[in-house]
Amino acid sequence: MLSLAIIEDQPAIREAYAAYLTAQPEFRVLLVCASVEEFLARLPDLPEAPKVVLSDIGLPGGMSGIEGVKHIRHHLPNTEVLLISVYND
């Protein structure tokens, strides 16, 4: 089973990702957050590190998903970070 965390600022999209991935038998969603800052703050409470973090690129009001990669990888060097984007470039 692949453990995941989701970082997405839009509540409807965040809830849709979480609901869809939770319903898949091969995934276990450990954490769902609205920002990189929230993710990092809640990280110590997790029972285990996620194997993959799915993060939106465009996170307003704080760190972007791109900026967040280095912080996530600093705390979780064995975790893969996949960036999700609606941008074509």
Side-chain angles (χ1 to χ4, degrees), residues 17-37:
Y17 285 154
Y20 177 78
L21 293 168
T22 299
Q24 308 308 308
E26 61 267 61
F27 298 122
R28 182 172 35 147
V29 178
L30 300 176
L31 185 58
V32 180
C33 298
S35 68
V36 173
E37 292 85 355

Side-chain angles (χ1 to χ4, degrees), residues 16-64:
Y17 285 154
Y20 177 78
L21 293 168
T22 299
Q24 308 308 308
E26 61 267 61
F27 298 122
R28 182 172 35 147
V29 178
L30 300 176
L31 185 58
V32 180
C33 298
S35 68
V36 173
E37 292 85 355
E38 178 187 359
F39 172 81
L40 294 173
R42 294 179 58 193
L43 199 53
D45 298 330
L46 290 179
E48 65 182 85
K51 296 289 184 193
V52 175
V53 174
L54 302 175
S55 178
D56 186 15
I57 287 179
L59 299 168
M63 228 182 289
S64 73

